[in-house]
């Protein structure tokens, strides 16, 4: 539209399309570009431009394979204004290591906000990525809204919880600027478990909770022994367990363990005491950690038919060296005392 003299002209309608193959497109430099793309550029109106991607490869720094982009779009609004906004969506599939490398890109660095320890990752990921970014060459990461969701299969993560590996995981992940959540099933320290984890990427004080992981499962005494918690001289059979692992920014942490021992047998041979399968008993303890190393055990408790225990434990070099029994009741026997374990200092 315009005046008769064309001194005042405004575009009120614009449409059009452009199809392309073999496209290379940078969507957030210096993140590596999309390559080998099939896409269509659409002029929606004078204020809006849209690029629809049918397929492409998301190149990943340091690898030759990259990630497959099975669909996506970039919508740019504000073309008639001083400032524009880009909304990017992409459906991505590939290996978990490549997906994590992309999320660690300097322009995104979602997984570098805190020292999350994801060693030796492996698995297959199908992810959706959404990015909203002001189209300004000087834009800061705090102004870029990023959200990614992923379904990961055949997952392996080394030393992910208290130094133990996660294997054969089927996990759903959500990551954004503030943190990461993980839910699913996996083998943790070779024990089948349900995992529910949350990690905080935000800055905070030394006492800030960086991650909290809840693990539930039904391990046997033999599986617990293989994981480093050997009580097979007293315990046999399965336990219904829940462990909540909490890690603080200062490296301190704890594991709250609760177990239903109804399906297990518990035997204390020196006192001629035995709890058979089917008799109710519950146990709990709070394990203190320093940089994933056992530092002590508080609030040790065991309650059941004919048994009651309260105590604590001290650790040396990550191993239990001293156990204090504030009260121990087996049937008509009541004990109190201190036990120093073999190999501990005198």
């Amino acid at each position: 539209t315009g005046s008769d003299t064309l001194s005042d002209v405004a575009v009120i309608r614009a449409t059009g399309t452009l199809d392309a193959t073999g496209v290379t497109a940078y969507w957030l430099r210096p993140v590596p570009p999309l390559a080998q793309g099939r896409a269509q550029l659409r002029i929606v109106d004078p204020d809006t431009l849209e690029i629809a991607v049918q397929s492409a490869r998301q190149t990943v720094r340091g690898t030759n394979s990259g990630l497959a982009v099975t669909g996506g779009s970039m919508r740019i609004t504000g073309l008639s204004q001083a400032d524009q906004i880009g909304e990017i969506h992409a459906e991505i599939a590939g290996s978990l290591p490549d997906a994590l490398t992309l999320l660690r890109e300097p322009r995104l660095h979602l997984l570098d906000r805190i020292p999350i320890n994801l060693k030796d990752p492996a698995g297959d990921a199908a992810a959706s990525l959404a990015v909203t970014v002001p189209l300004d060459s000087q834009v800061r990461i705090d102004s870029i809204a990023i959200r990614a969701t992923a379904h990961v299969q055949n997952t392996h993560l080394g030393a992910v919880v208290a130094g133990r590996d996660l294997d054969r995981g089927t996990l759903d992940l959500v990551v954004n600027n503030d943190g990461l959540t993980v839910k699913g099933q996996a083998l943790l320290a070779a024990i089948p478990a349900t995992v529910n984890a949350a990690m905080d990427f935000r800055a905070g004080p030394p006492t800030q909770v960086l991650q909290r992981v809840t693990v539930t499962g039904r391990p046997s005494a033999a599986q617990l022994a293989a994981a480093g918690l050997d009580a097979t001289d007293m315990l046999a059979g399965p336990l219904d367990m829940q462990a909540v692992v909490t890690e603080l920014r200062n490296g301190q942490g704890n594991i709250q363990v609760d177990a239903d021992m109804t399906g297990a047998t518990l035997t204390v041979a020196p006192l001629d005491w035995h709890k058979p399968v089917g008799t109710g008993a519950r146990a709990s303890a709070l394990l203190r950690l320093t940089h994933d190393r056992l530092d002590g055990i508080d609030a040790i408790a065991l309650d059941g038919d004919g048994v009651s225990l309260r105590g604590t434990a001290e650790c040396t070099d990550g191993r239990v060296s001293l156990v204090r029994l504030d009260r121990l009741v087996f049937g008509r026997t009541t004990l109190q005392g201190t036990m120093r374990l073999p190999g501990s200092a005198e």
Side-chain angles (χ1 to χ4, degrees):
T1 62
S3 63
D4 293 341
T5 61
L6 299 182
S7 59
D8 183 16
V9 176
V11 178
I12 60 170
R13 184 173 182 270
T15 59
T17 61
L18 176 65
D19 294 313
T21 60
V23 173
T24 298
Y26 286 86
W27 53 277
L28 191 63
R29 293 179 186 269
V31 175
L34 298 176
Q36 306 170 27
R38 289 194 308 114
Q40 183 182 74
L41 183 149
R42 304 168 183 164
I43 301 174
V44 179
D45 56 47
D47 200 54
T48 308
L49 183 71
E50 188 173 82
I51 303 171
V53 179
Q54 287 85 43
S55 64
R57 300 292 299 179
Q58 171 61 59
T59 51
V60 177
R61 203 178 304 276
T63 71
N64 295 322
S65 56
L67 299 163
V69 178
T70 58
S73 66
M74 181 174 185
R75 186 178 180 89
I76 302 172
T77 57
L79 294 178
S80 60
Q81 308 299 319
D83 300 311
Q84 291 78 45
I85 298 292
E87 296 180 3
I88 301 160
H89 299 270
E91 302 296 324
I92 299 173
S95 73
L96 179 60
D98 284 352
L100 293 176
T101 298
L102 177 63
L103 293 177
R104 287 193 176 103
E105 274 294 324
R107 198 69 185 271
L108 304 176
H109 66 86
L110 286 175
L111 301 185
D112 293 336
R113 298 278 186 105
I114 60 172
I116 300 174
N117 205 7
L118 300 179
K119 295 181 179 179
D120 305 320
D124 305 309
S128 295
L129 179 67
V131 180
T132 301
V133 53
L135 298 182
D136 183 340
S137 61
Q138 303 300 318
V139 67
R140 298 174 59 86
I141 186 62
D142 293 340
S143 300
I144 302 174
I146 304 171
R147 176 182 170 86
T149 62
H151 181 73
V152 186
Q153 295 181 308
N154 306 314
T155 310
H156 169 83
L157 296 172
V160 68
V161 177
R164 303 300 179 182
D165 291 353
L166 182 150
D167 289 293
R168 293 168 56 183
T170 300
L171 305 173
D172 291 299
L173 295 81
V174 178
V175 58
N176 58 28
N177 304 69
D178 293 335
L180 168 70
T181 61
V182 181
K183 297 181 180 180
Q185 311 289 324
L187 295 180
L188 188 58
I191 298 171
T194 298
V195 180
N196 190 337
M199 303 179 185
D200 193 344
F201 295 171
R202 296 168 295 184
T207 55
Q208 177 190 8
V209 176
L210 289 188
Q211 60 176 321
R212 179 172 283 115
V213 183
T214 300
V215 179
T216 57
R218 187 176 170 82
S220 67
Q223 288 174 322
L224 289 175
L229 300 173
D230 191 356
T232 52
D233 55 342
M234 300 175 60
L235 185 67
L239 298 83
D240 293 301
M241 292 190 65
Q242 176 176 279
V244 180
V245 183
T246 303
E247 181 181 338
L248 307 183
R249 181 175 291 279
N250 60 12
Q252 301 298 307
N254 60 67
I255 306 176
Q256 175 64 50
V257 180
D258 295 281
D260 185 340
M261 307 172 68
T262 302
T265 62
L266 185 62
T267 303
V268 183
L271 300 179
D272 194 27
W273 183 86
H274 177 75
K275 184 202 84 67
V277 173
T279 301
R282 300 190 68 88
S284 62
L286 182 65
L287 287 67
R288 289 184 281 109
L289 304 175
T290 300
H291 298 290
D292 286 336
R293 193 173 192 179
L294 188 60
D295 192 45
I297 306 177
D298 298 329
I300 301 172
L302 173 63
D303 293 289
D305 187 10
V307 60
S308 178
L309 180 150
R310 296 294 184 272
T312 59
E314 296 179 5
C315 294
T316 303
D317 296 328
R319 299 176 63 88
V320 176
S321 57
L322 186 77
V323 177
R324 289 190 173 89
L325 299 177
D326 300 324
R327 178 178 173 81
L328 176 59
V329 177
F330 286 112
R332 293 181 295 176
T333 302
T334 301
L335 301 174
Q336 185 180 40
T338 300
M339 295 185 296
R340 192 175 297 277
L341 302 187
S344 60
E346 295 296 335

